[in-house]
Amino acid sequence: TKLVAKLDGDGRVVRIMLMQSSGVTTFDEAARISFAKVGRFPNPPQAMVDRDGFVRLHWEFIVHPTGVRSLGVHAPSASG
């Protein structure tokens, strides 16, 4: 599951976008809910704030036979 969480300048989650489904709706929804429950990431570094005033966190969750790993924030690839 790949998500982009859009935050305002204060770190509040304003939108969660599913960029790539895992193919399992329950997993995708659990990933989305995890960001929604956080609600706010306080004090985002100014370097992460885009020109439009928003922060976009690119997050990837991978399910392995031994458990779930979150790969965390990463820069988007040049291809999108």
Side-chain angles (χ1 to χ4, degrees):
T1 302
K2 292 184 181 182
L3 300 174
V4 174
K6 183 177 176 182
L7 316 177
D8 67 14
D10 292 326
R12 282 186 290 276
V13 177
V14 295
R15 186 168 181 206
I16 303 163
M17 298 161 279
L18 178 65
M19 305 307 288
Q20 182 177 344
S21 173
S22 66
V24 180
T25 304
T26 305
F27 290 160
D28 297 342
E29 188 63 11
R32 189 196 65 74
I33 288 170
S34 68
F35 272 95
K37 283 186 175 183
V38 170
R40 184 170 183 255
F41 293 82
N43 304 316
Q46 192 59 38
M48 292 181 72
V49 179
D50 290 337
R51 291 181 189 185
D52 63 3
F54 293 99
V55 174
R56 289 167 181 85
L57 299 179
H58 297 258
W59 211 275
E60 185 171 349
F61 295 86
I62 298 177
V63 177
H64 290 274
T66 57
V68 176
R69 283 191 355 216
S70 173
L71 293 184
V73 177
H74 63 276
S77 66
S79 63

